[in-house]
Amino acid sequence: NDIKPQSVDAFELGYSSLIANCVLIDVLGYYSTWKNFIGYVNVANTPGINDPEAFLDRSKYIQYNIAYNGAEKVNTYGYAASVSVDLSRHFLAKVNFSSDFLKNRNNSQVNNFNTPNYRFNIDFGNTGFGKKERFSFNTTFRYRPAYFYQIGFGSGTVPASAVIDAQVSYRLLQAHSTIKLGGINLTNEYYRNGFGSPAIGGMYYVSFAYNVF
């Protein structure tokens, strides 16, 4: 049968509130129902060979991934929450947490959600300090637990990762410009975002932005 477009009915509800003019709270949740959910199945062929035992020798068969629609209705749901706090003197702190789940999946399909059940970030920074508030900085801690990742050519566990990003800036007031020095994954601890994907190390940078304020 020809493959059909998958469709989704989604419901999302959120709430945001500012408390005492210094604490911002955001929460949201969603629930989705998928029809004709597209997944994959692994099949193999032995070109020019009729012996079934050829499938026992990896060098003698070719593996393919074929997409098709699952008959079951698949549900995805999750939630997220964040709290941002103004600590005075331009210091800011923020924590956010999110979670996602896949339900009623067709076990005959390769259709894993490929995302951890939860993850969170913690931010801390200052938007202006020092003489004439020329300096600013921001730091972020990102954590993601280990999770199972499934894709057409293979599957396996993606290890947990804890990553620190940081940036410090200096404003050149007369030139209306900014100099930034920072790093993504400061500790250079390699991590992966998917099974079979390349490892990600640290990236460090210096930038100059002219006439930006």
Side-chain angles (χ1 to χ4, degrees), residues 2-212:
D2 293 336
I3 192 168
K4 302 176 183 178
Q6 59 187 7
S7 61
V8 59
D9 296 322
F11 175 78
E12 182 175 325
L13 181 65
Y15 175 78
S16 180
S17 178
L18 180 63
I19 302 174
N21 208 35
C22 64
V23 179
L24 178 64
I25 298 176
D26 280 299
V27 293
L28 67 88
Y30 72 90
Y31 189 90
S32 303
T33 301
W34 297 79
K35 298 178 182 178
N36 296 320
F37 194 78
I38 297 176
Y40 301 86
V41 64
N42 294 324
V43 298
N45 187 22
T46 56
I49 303 176
N50 296 322
D51 185 2
E53 293 188 359
F55 289 104
L56 301 176
D57 186 348
R58 185 63 183 86
S59 65
K60 294 182 179 179
Y61 68 86
I62 300 175
Q63 184 171 300
Y64 304 90
N65 307 124
I66 298 178
Y68 71 100
N69 299 109
E72 296 84 354
K73 290 184 179 180
V74 176
N75 301 112
T76 55
Y77 63 96
Y79 59 90
S82 70
V83 179
S84 303
V85 182
D86 185 346
L87 301 173
S88 75
R89 296 187 179 182
H90 305 297
F91 283 99
L92 301 171
K94 181 178 181 179
V95 177
N96 64 69
F97 179 94
S98 60
S99 185
D100 300 284
F101 298 91
L102 177 68
K103 185 180 179 182
N104 301 330
R105 60 190 295 266
N106 185 340
N107 291 326
S108 65
Q109 285 184 319
V110 178
N111 61 2
N112 208 52
F113 209 12
N114 292 337
T115 187
N117 287 340
Y118 73 92
R119 54 197 174 277
F120 67 85
N121 297 346
I122 301 174
D123 297 327
F124 179 71
N126 188 299
T127 58
F129 65 96
K131 187 177 181 180
K132 296 185 178 181
E133 300 179 347
R134 293 173 181 243
F135 289 95
S136 63
F137 76 91
N138 187 70
T139 58
T140 301
F141 174 77
R142 298 180 280 131
Y143 178 77
R144 183 197 63 203
Y147 63 101
F148 184 73
Y149 196 100
Q150 189 177 40
I151 197 169
F153 63 81
S155 60
T157 299
V158 177
S161 64
V163 180
I164 298 175
D165 307 326
Q167 175 184 281
V168 61
S169 302
Y170 180 76
R171 296 193 300 163
L172 303 172
L173 300 180
Q174 293 182 345
H176 302 284
S177 303
T178 302
I179 299 173
K180 296 180 180 180
L181 172 66
I184 300 173
N185 189 8
L186 279 180
T187 60
N188 198 35
E189 292 289 336
Y190 280 72
Y191 68 97
R192 299 178 187 273
N193 284 329
F195 181 80
S197 66
I200 302 172
M203 184 179 73
Y204 311 96
Y205 59 88
V206 177
S207 69
F208 174 78
Y210 176 71
N211 197 26
V212 292

